[in-house]
Amino acid sequence: MTGASSGIGEATAFHLRELGFDPVAAVRKEQDAERLAGSGLRTVRMDVTDVDSIATARAELGDGPLAGLVNNAGIAVAAPLEFLSLDQLRHQLEVNLVGQLAVTQRFLPALRAGRGRIVNVSSIGGRVALPLVGAYHASKFALEAISDTLRRELLSQGVDVIVIEPGGVKTPIWRKGDELAAELASDLPPEGERLYGPLITAIRKETAKIATETGIEPREVAEAIGHALTARRPRARYLVGRDAKMRAPAAAVLPARVMDRIVARMLGV
Ligand code: NDP
């Protein structure tokens, strides 16, 4: 379980233990490893953007077969695409996309040996794109594509690939994303502020609402991941939360320009 220090990852690690797994919580920081180890979880240090750290974690876990890999680590970069620094775009893709594949590559032999499952935590943002979070959506749309390819490549090898698509969940990602967005907004030239200021305010209001009111609890996503890992016939995709369940079919049938108007109305811009 990558990104197990907080939010969905932490909730899932504990839920998987309740289900009888022996989960390994992969975290970046020593203090998180110590805290989770204090609660009786197996932990390993891993930064998904650092191939050496992935290799070290792999070596620490030994050669035994694996029942599952949950690629959950993620960040959210928010800035208008016109002013998004290309380094920020690269970092977003590095954490949410390249990192997921790097971890998957390293653990695939053990998953094959265990006839295990790969669960990729995408998002409804992997199907419907909102303004200002283009970098995040790019990472999640791409993760959806990679997941489909991988599932079809592994079809005859006994390793399944499942995608989790939550809507808004009450986790620290929103606070972190807002802090990063504030930092990026402070770098905006006056022209950027003039052009995108109202949109930035609208999105920040919307995300604050998810973090405190409308978001579901991480436990609900953990349960979907648990189902994906244990069901005899897991679904290929799990939409989690009412917002995700409404948005996905709407985006599939409505023309893009109708969706444009719905999104604009939702944001009040
Ligand atoms: P959190 O911020 O609580 O968790 C993100 C986790 O990813 C943290 O453990 C964080 O570790 C870890 N992480 C970040 N960068 C790296 C890295 N380079 N290497 C390893 N770990 C890293 O957010 P969530 O629980 O919300 O997010 C989990 C996943 O769920 C993400 O992929 C996110 O996109 C997805 N998701 C979240 C939704 C939501 O509404 N919250 C909705 C849809 C999808 P650290 O503490 O060290 O930074």
Side-chain angles (χ1 to χ4, degrees):
M1 177 87 218
T2 67
S5 72
S6 65
I8 293 167
E10 183 178 19
T12 304
F14 285 110
H15 180 59
L16 293 182
R17 190 171 62 177
E18 285 165 17
L19 291 179
F21 284 98
D22 177 19
V24 180
V27 297
R28 282 197 300 176
K29 304 186 206 92
E30 184 54 37
Q31 74 256 32
D32 289 319
E34 280 170 14
R35 180 173 52 81
L36 293 174
S39 306
L41 280 178
R42 278 174 80 190
T43 62
V44 76
R45 300 276 303 282
M46 190 199 287
D47 183 325
V48 300
T49 64
D50 174 355
V51 283
D52 291 340
S53 106
I54 299 171
T56 307
R58 176 76 197 90
E60 249 178 67
L61 292 179
D63 283 331
L66 266 188
L69 165 66
V70 185
N71 284 309
N72 163 76
I75 58 168
V77 170
L81 288 172
E82 182 176 356
F83 295 102
L84 173 68
S85 97
L86 297 181
D87 281 345
Q88 284 293 342
L89 173 62
R90 288 189 188 100
H91 184 55
Q92 173 73 87
L93 296 175
E94 199 62 40
V95 177
N96 287 21
L97 178 69
V98 181
Q100 316 301 313
L101 187 62
V103 176
T104 300
Q105 288 177 341
R106 186 57 77 156
F107 286 91
L108 246 176
L111 287 159
R112 200 177 286 115
R115 298 187 73 77
R117 295 177 185 176
I118 297 167
V119 178
N120 287 335
V121 181
S122 175
S123 166
I124 183 58
R127 295 214 214 177
V128 184
L130 300 179
L132 294 189
V133 242
Y136 180 77
H137 290 303
S139 74
K140 294 298 188 183
F141 271 67
L143 184 62
E144 298 267 342
I146 280 207
S147 302
D148 280 344
T149 295
L150 197 58
R151 192 174 55 258
R152 290 161 193 167
E153 285 177 358
L154 298 176
L155 204 57
S156 61
Q157 298 182 27
V159 179
D160 200 0
V161 181
I162 296 144
V163 181
I164 306 291
E165 299 169 318
V169 189
K170 284 181 185 147
T171 73
I173 202 169
W174 298 107
R175 177 185 43 77
K176 296 179 206 168
D178 194 52
E179 281 166 12
L180 186 58
E183 208 179 297
L184 297 177
S186 68
D187 291 342
L188 276 185
E191 179 70 349
E193 178 55 38
R194 188 180 66 76
L195 290 168
Y196 297 102
L199 199 51
I200 293 173
T201 307
I203 289 272
R204 288 179 81 172
K205 229 166 71 191
E206 194 58 30
T207 55
K209 241 178 17 197
I210 295 171
T212 55
E213 294 171 39
T214 57
I216 57 170
E217 295 298 328
R219 168 100 197 170
E220 280 189 50
V221 186
E223 284 168 4
I225 295 172
H227 192 273
L229 285 169
T230 55
R232 203 164 62 83
R233 287 173 184 274
R235 299 200 286 275
R237 285 187 158 70
Y238 287 75
L239 287 161
V240 191
R242 233 177 59 138
D243 51 348
K245 286 179 183 153
M246 278 165 53
R247 263 182 222 174
V253 297
L254 294 175
R257 292 189 194 286
V258 175
M259 283 301 287
D260 292 348
R261 286 200 291 277
I262 292 174
V263 168
R265 194 169 316 143
M266 178 185 97
L267 295 173
V269 290

